[in-house]
Amino acid sequence: MKRDVSVLLDVEVHAESLLEFQIAVAHQPGVEVIESLSFELGGVRRTAKEVSGPHGSRIHVLRCGAGNLRTEYSARVLGAARPEPPSDYDLALYLRPSRFVESDKMLGFAASEFGCGIDDPETPGRVAAWVADRIGYLPGSSAPSDSAVDTLLTSNGVCRDFSHLMVALLRAVGVPARVASVYPPGCMPMDFHSVAEAYVDGGWQVFDPTRLAPRSSLVRIATGRDAADIAFLGNHGGDITVNGLWVRSFVDGPLPYDDHIHPTTIN
């Protein structure tokens, strides 16, 4: 499948800051990426340092002073990713509670709803369907500091809230789970998107409880414990305002169908 993705990010930097961008397509075996990335501060080209993260994630680090920063990225993505074999460390890490995924606070609730899911390959699908049925997709209904517990209590959220809740419930019943940021062809409204991945039958399977985009069309950007690991923009030390964010992603040809039931991976 050939996919084209792009993003334009307009940021006002009010004081000197160290910025971290996670907008570039992840490095994955089997995937060819033809891409361009540029940063312009007040019309002057700047160069960022690329830092390699886990699971092929790429962080572009830029220290800049005050001014208007314009960031543009585009990529043509060819091929399909070969599955990444989980390490023993991954399986331990993605069972632990984290900042936005307080699985330790959901042990009793998750057990009463889903039982123990360690040896049941059907558990992630049941949890994804439960989250899809119980949580309403409502833009603006959550704050950046909201966690999985907040989503469970309010029953509303956006994609990151859906994936946080699903991952929290899975970890609570003993299934290693993580989140991924992706470019999502077919998603409406178009934006960066967050999905959940669960360890099933020896590998990572992707689930999207929002059901907003076909999973086989997704393009991986970053992977981690929760939103703190996969944020498209991090700011350290300064003050910034995001003036605008425009994301585009589409496939060459018809959009693939997804029943959101059968197992699949991020390609």
Side-chain angles (χ1 to χ4, degrees):
M1 183 185 301
K2 182 171 70 176
R3 291 156 289 177
D4 290 283
V5 303
S6 63
V7 59
L8 171 60
L9 181 57
D10 186 292
V11 177
E12 200 68 34
V13 182
H14 304 291
E16 183 175 345
S17 181
L18 183 69
L19 303 178
E20 295 181 347
F21 297 83
Q22 289 191 100
I23 59 176
V25 173
H27 285 313
Q28 299 176 96
V31 173
E32 179 186 359
V33 181
I34 305 166
E35 63 183 353
S36 66
L37 173 63
S38 67
F39 299 92
E40 288 189 0
L41 181 65
V44 178
R45 184 67 64 94
R46 300 294 301 273
T47 301
K49 176 183 178 181
E50 181 170 320
V51 177
S52 297
H55 315 298
S57 301
R58 302 156 64 195
I59 305 170
H60 288 90
V61 181
L62 179 67
R63 182 176 293 279
C64 62
N68 181 258
L69 178 66
R70 184 181 178 92
T71 302
E72 294 188 62
Y73 176 76
S74 64
R76 172 156 291 181
V77 184
L78 305 171
R82 293 194 291 272
E84 173 197 30
S87 68
D88 291 339
Y89 180 75
D90 289 339
L91 299 182
L93 176 66
Y94 295 128
L95 271 178
R96 301 172 191 164
S98 56
R99 165 66 181 85
F100 296 106
V101 178
E102 318 103 302
S103 50
D104 53 332
K105 296 181 180 179
M106 296 191 179
L107 296 176
F109 177 82
S112 67
E113 289 285 339
F114 307 107
C116 183
I118 296 176
D119 298 319
D120 183 359
E122 302 299 322
T123 296
R126 291 194 292 116
V127 173
W130 187 94
V131 174
D133 290 341
R134 297 292 186 92
I135 307 302
Y137 187 87
L138 185 62
S141 61
S142 61
S145 59
D146 281 0
S147 67
V149 170
D150 296 311
T151 304
L152 181 63
L153 294 174
T154 62
S155 297
N156 288 304
V158 292
C159 61
R160 58 164 265 166
D161 304 305
F162 279 68
S163 57
H164 280 161
L165 180 55
M166 178 173 177
V167 168
L169 292 170
L170 286 174
R171 291 181 190 171
V173 296
V175 178
R178 64 191 191 182
V179 299
S181 60
V182 297
Y183 287 102
C187 185
M188 291 296 292
M190 178 56 67
D191 203 340
F192 291 118
H193 194 46
S194 174
V195 295
E197 291 183 291
Y199 180 69
V200 183
D201 290 335
W204 296 107
Q205 293 182 8
V206 60
F207 296 86
D208 182 5
T210 69
R211 300 175 179 173
L212 288 177
R215 293 169 296 162
S216 62
S217 71
L218 302 177
V219 178
R220 187 186 302 273
I221 303 172
T223 311
R225 298 164 299 171
D226 57 31
D229 290 341
I230 64 171
F232 71 87
L233 175 59
N235 171 38
H236 305 283
D239 180 26
I240 66 172
T241 300
V242 177
N243 296 326
L245 170 67
W246 299 269
V247 177
R248 298 177 68 236
S249 56
F250 53 92
V251 300
D252 184 24
L255 198 67
Y257 171 75
D258 189 356
D259 61 8
H260 291 282
I261 297 175
H262 289 87
T264 190
T265 60
I266 297 178
N267 291 318

